[in-house]
Amino acid sequence: GAGVSQSPSNKVTEKGKDVELRCDPISGHTALYWYRQRLGQGLEFLIYFQGNSAPDKSGLPSDRFSAERTGESVSTLTIQRTQQEDSAVYLCASSLGVFSSYNSPLHFGNGTRLTVT
Amino acid sequence: DAKTTQPPSMDCAEGRAANLPCNHSTISGNEYVYWYRQIHSQGPQYIIHGLKNNETNEMASLIITEDRKSSTLILPHATLRDTAVYYCIVFGRAGNMLTFGGGTRLMVKP
């Protein structure tokens, strides 16, 4: 697969349950990003990884949200005790991630549509 | 980070060139101009980016003014499949994680 892969593509969960969203970046991309997009709205930045490190977690909406990345590859975004306002499409992107140069496009997956009932 | 301003919507006739403007008057010297588009229910798709010079690839051309305060994305022969929201983004500072604004909703009509 040449692109960013996200799973599941759709997730319906009950309020209060925990969910895990997975992202497989493009091979060789060291930077990985998570965004959230509510219905009809723009993209909201959540967190990024350079390698396995997340230098800035201030974009996460609450302490119910966490993310990790291992092996400079797969990343998991976890939402604990989901709330209805968490319903959104969660998008993952990756890039070559050379932060000293910004000449490195982000490539997005098609997202996970999360619905909290 | 430099902000961008785009018209909220535009129409274009199929087969004609679509010219999408973007203002980024506060852009700084090391910031790139990126263009993405998002078709309903898909993730944003990278189109093109540039720093100072005009750029062209298989999808589009990017014209950046000499003072770099504005740019235009050109789709030379728009098709119905080009109907999407187009985002102009300035990207160039560590920690700027490609902030997306409202974009321009391009409607290509037969």
Side-chain angles (χ1 to χ4, degrees):
Chain A
V4 176
S5 178
Q6 293 187 246
S7 61
S9 55
N10 283 283
K11 176 71 175 179
V12 179
T13 190
E14 292 180 354
K15 178 181 173 181
K17 301 282 190 183
D18 297 352
V19 294
E20 284 189 355
L21 312 180
R22 177 187 169 106
C23 173
D24 285 88
I26 293 172
S27 178
H29 280 191
T30 61
L32 184 148
Y33 311 79
W34 284 98
Y35 286 83
R36 177 170 72 177
Q37 188 172 32
R38 290 197 168 105
L39 184 64
Q41 299 186 20
L43 275 70
E44 175 188 4
F45 166 71
L46 299 179
I47 191 170
Y48 80 96
F49 290 88
Q50 179 61 32
N52 293 329
S53 299
D56 182 3
K57 299 181 180 179
S58 62
L60 294 175
S62 75
D63 59 7
R64 296 186 295 105
F65 287 71
S66 63
E68 65 175 17
R69 188 181 186 196
T70 56
E72 296 197 357
S73 180
V74 173
S75 176
T76 302
L77 177 69
T78 302
I79 309 173
Q80 296 178 310
R81 305 181 302 282
T82 52
Q83 303 294 314
Q84 288 185 331
E85 65 261 26
D86 299 334
S87 296
V89 176
Y90 290 82
L91 291 158
C92 176
S94 69
S95 73
L96 289 172
V98 179
F99 279 153
S100 60
S101 162
Y102 306 101
N103 191 17
S104 181
L106 271 66
H107 296 273
F108 285 82
N110 282 328
T112 294
R113 182 175 300 277
L114 175 66
T115 303
V116 182
T117 62
Chain B
D1 302 322
K3 297 288 190 277
T4 63
T5 304
Q6 299 177 254
S9 64
M10 291 181 64
D11 290 344
C12 178
E14 187 179 19
R16 303 296 294 269
N19 297 286
L20 291 89
C22 180
N23 287 324
H24 31 80
S25 58
T26 60
I27 193 170
S28 62
N30 65 349
E31 291 182 310
Y32 284 79
V33 179
Y34 276 78
W35 283 83
Y36 284 77
R37 72 181 182 184
Q38 190 170 27
I39 297 169
H40 180 63
S41 79
Q42 297 182 19
Q45 178 189 22
Y46 165 75
I47 301 173
I48 199 167
H49 73 286
L51 183 62
K52 295 180 181 178
N53 299 321
N54 298 336
E55 302 287 345
T56 295
N57 63 20
E58 65 277 6
M59 289 183 68
S61 294
L62 173 61
I63 308 298
I64 303 174
T65 58
E66 189 170 346
D67 63 8
R68 303 209 324 122
K69 293 185 176 182
S70 65
S71 61
T72 301
L73 178 75
I74 301 173
L75 308 177
H77 305 287
T79 71
L80 299 178
R81 288 176 295 180
D82 292 323
T83 293
V85 178
Y86 287 77
Y87 296 98
C88 167
I89 301 137
V90 172
F91 182 46
R93 190 189 70 178
N96 173 9
M97 294 302 115
L98 219 67
T99 303
F100 285 70
T104 295
R105 185 173 297 277
L106 176 68
M107 179 72 71
V108 180
K109 298 183 175 180

